[in-house]
Amino acid sequence: MSTTTTPDCKVHPGNPVESFLRTDRMPHIWCPGCGIGTTVNCFTRALIDSKQDLNKLAIVSGIGCTGRVAGYVNLDSFHTTHGRAIPFATGLKLASPETTVVVYSGDGDLFAIGGNHLIHAARRNMDIKVICVNNLTYAMTGGQTAPTTPEDVITATAPYGTYDPAFNLPYLVEAAGAVYVARWTTFHVKQLARSMQEMFAKKGFGFIEVVSPCPTLYQRRNKMGDALDTMKFYKEVSKTKHGAPTSEVGLTKSGEIVVGKFVDRERPDFTTHMHEHLQHSLGDKYIPAEGPVCG
Amino acid sequence: MARGAVSIVVERCKACGFCVEFCPTKVLALSDAFNSKGYHPPHAVTPDKCSGCDLCGMYCPDFAIHGYRLDKAAKAAETEASDAR
Ligand code: SF4
Ligand code: SF4
Ligand code: SF4
C-alpha cells in the first residue's frame, strides 16, 4: 500500500516536524491556509539539518497569531508579553550565552508594539535570530492597519484604503545594524529553510522576513482570493535578487516581491564588543563571567 | 513503481490545497470525503508517481501530510526489526 491515512489527529508517525510539536495541542488554531504552520515546517527542517543541540536552543515569541508558535513547539519556549520578545531574548542571551536564542514573532509584535526594542537590538548586534512572519496586518486582533500594511489596502480600520507608507522591513533592519537580512515567502519553503540554517550559523543579529498569507483578514477584505491563490500570487510575482539594495525591496499591494539574502556582513556582536572594550579599559581587573550567569 | 509514499492525518487537514498544488508530480487531489471538521482531506490519486520528496510535508501548514522514500522506510523497518531481535 503506498498511501496511509490515519484518522487520529494526535500523532503523525514519520513526519519530521512531529517531534518538534506539542502534539496534545494539535490541531492548532491557525486558519485554513494560514502560512505560519508552513514556516514552522521550514524552521524544524532547518533545526534538523543544522544539527542544532535542542537543549541549547530557546524560542521566544510575543503576542499575535505568530506568537502562538512558542506554545506549539516542543522546545524551550517563552510566550512573552506584547512587543517584548526581543528584550526577553536579550536577557536570555546575556544570562546564558551558550543558548541559541530565536525570536519567532509577527510583524505587528516586532515592528509596531516592539519596534523600538528591535532597532536597538539590531544596533547593538545582539546575537539573536529573528524570524518575522509578515502577514501585513494585525491579524489576531481583527485585521487592523499595521505599520507593514502596504498602501491602498482595505483593513478593519481603513475601509476606504490605507494611505500611510509602510515600513520596508529589510531596509529598516539593515539600517539599524543587522548582520544577516533575508526575505522569503511561504512559497519558498526550501530557500527559507536554508536561509534559517545560514542565519543560525552566523553570530550577531539575524533577521528573516517571511511574507505569509492571512486569508481570513487580509486577503479576504482585499478580494485577493484564498490562501492557495495567495501562494500562487507569491510564486508569480516573486523575484530572487540576492544582494539587492534593501532600499528597493519595499512591498506593495500587488507588485513584485523581491526575495533573497540581502545582507550578510561581519560586525562584532554585543558580547564580543563588551568584553573587548572592558578588557581594554580595565585591563587585568576585568574578569569576564564564565558560563551561564544565572540558573 | 512508486519511489515514495505519503501518509495523511485526515483529522488535522484544513483543505488548503497547498499539497495538491505544489506536488511536483501531481500525485494528490482533495477527496470527496469529509473529516470531522467538514474539510476534504487529500488522497493520492496517482500514488505511483510519488517520489517521496516531502514537498507536500514542507508546505502543509497543518502538519497533516508527510511524504517519504520507500527505500529509506524499508531500511528503517529492517533496522527496527533487527533491534527488536
Ligand atoms: S487570522 Fe490570519 S494570521 Fe491569524 S491564524 Fe488566521 S490566517 Fe493566520
Ligand atoms: S512526497 Fe513529493 S511526490 Fe509524493 S505526494 Fe508529496 S510532494 Fe508529491
Ligand atoms: S497542505 Fe495539509 S492542510 Fe492543506 S490540503 Fe494538504 S494536507 Fe490538508
Side-chain angles (χ1 to χ4, degrees), chain A residues 66-269:
Chain A
T66 313
R68 305 290 305 197
V69 170
Y72 288 134
V73 291
N74 196 12
L75 298 163
D76 284 344
S77 58
F78 301 89
H79 195 184
T80 67
T81 48
H82 207 354
R84 314 302 166 218
I86 298 241
F88 188 96
T90 301
L92 188 58
K93 184 70 197 179
L94 294 179
S96 177
E98 296 299 300
T99 306
T100 301
V101 180
V102 179
V103 170
Y104 211 127
S105 215
D107 50 307
D109 186 71
L110 288 169
F111 284 87
I113 299 89
N116 228 330
H117 299 303
L118 184 125
I119 56 174
H120 291 289
R123 173 178 66 81
R124 294 162 144 173
N125 202 16
M126 284 307 310
D127 187 17
I128 54 181
K129 317 291 160 208
V130 180
I131 297 165
C132 172
V133 178
N134 185 2
N135 51 22
L136 311 170
T137 188
Y138 288 125
M140 187 165 267
T141 47
Q144 295 84 356
T145 307
T148 42
T149 311
E151 282 177 59
D152 213 13
V153 162
I154 309 290
T155 72
T157 44
Y160 306 110
T162 48
Y163 43 84
D164 280 344
F167 271 148
N168 171 352
L169 305 187
Y171 188 37
L172 175 63
V173 173
E174 180 187 9
V179 291
Y180 185 94
V181 182
R183 174 200 281 149
W184 298 102
T185 75
T186 45
F187 168 70
H188 301 91
V189 284
K190 295 265 179 191
Q191 296 92 324
L192 175 59
R194 261 201 305 273
S195 199
M196 287 176 177
Q197 270 195 63
E198 244 177 52
M199 176 170 74
F200 296 154
K202 185 148 182 110
K203 204 173 174 77
F205 191 91
F207 176 80
I208 300 178
E209 173 184 11
V210 194
V211 182
S212 171
C214 171
T216 309
L217 295 163
Y218 183 87
Q219 271 80 22
R220 177 177 56 83
R221 281 211 177 89
N222 291 283
K223 308 213 179 337
M224 296 170 101
D226 61 13
L228 184 57
D229 294 318
T230 311
M231 293 287 269
K232 290 185 196 163
F233 166 73
Y234 292 163
K235 184 179 175 185
E236 191 189 315
V237 303
S238 294
K239 274 234 169 73
T240 310
K241 291 186 194 165
H242 294 297
T246 52
S247 59
E248 294 168 15
V249 304
L251 295 172
T252 54
K253 183 181 172 192
S254 47
E256 183 177 280
I257 301 175
V258 182
V259 295
K261 178 170 79 177
F262 305 134
V263 177
D264 191 347
R265 58 183 170 185
E266 304 304 324
R267 206 159 75 80
D269 77 300

Side-chain angles (χ1 to χ4, degrees), chain A residues 44-67:
Chain A
T44 56
R45 277 11 172 238
L47 290 180
I48 295 169
D49 292 344
S50 58
K51 302 195 172 55
Q52 280 285 334
D53 180 352
L54 300 181
N55 292 320
K56 290 193 174 148
L57 177 91
I59 315 297
V60 185
S61 291
I63 300 298
C65 292
T66 313

Side-chain angles (χ1 to χ4, degrees), chain A residues 1-4, chain B residues 1-8 23 25-29 43-53 67-68 70:
Chain A
M1 199 173 84
S2 47
T3 315
T4 45
Chain B
M1 246 305 274
R3 287 193 291 135
V6 283
S7 111
I8 301 162
C23 166
T25 47
K26 300 279 169 254
V27 170
L28 305 163
H43 63 154
V45 281
T46 50
D48 283 355
K49 288 203 211 151
C50 179
S51 67
C53 67
Y68 55 93
L70 290 172

Side-chain angles (χ1 to χ4, degrees), chain A residues 2-18 21 23 26-28 30 32-34 37-38 40-41 45 186-187 189-190 193 227-228 231-232, chain B residues 2 4-12 14-18 21-22 37 39 42-44 47-48 53-66 68 70:
Chain A
S2 47
T3 315
T4 45
T5 55
T6 130
D8 184 0
C9 65
K10 295 296 177 216
V11 281
H12 194 176
N15 192 340
V17 75
E18 201 68 14
L21 298 175
T23 46
M26 295 297 128
H28 56 57
W30 296 316
C34 172
T38 304
V40 173
N41 287 324
R45 277 11 172 238
T186 45
F187 168 70
V189 284
K190 295 265 179 191
L228 184 57
M231 293 287 269
K232 290 185 196 163
Chain B
V6 283
S7 111
I8 301 162
V9 182
V10 293
E11 281 306 322
R12 276 194 196 169
K14 293 177 191 157
C16 66
F18 291 0
E21 176 71 24
F22 299 118
K37 291 228 167 74
Y39 296 114
H43 63 154
D48 283 355
C53 67
D54 195 32
L55 256 190
C56 48
M58 284 284 272
Y59 277 109
C60 178
D62 289 272
F63 320 119
I65 190 166
H66 163 235
Y68 55 93
L70 290 172

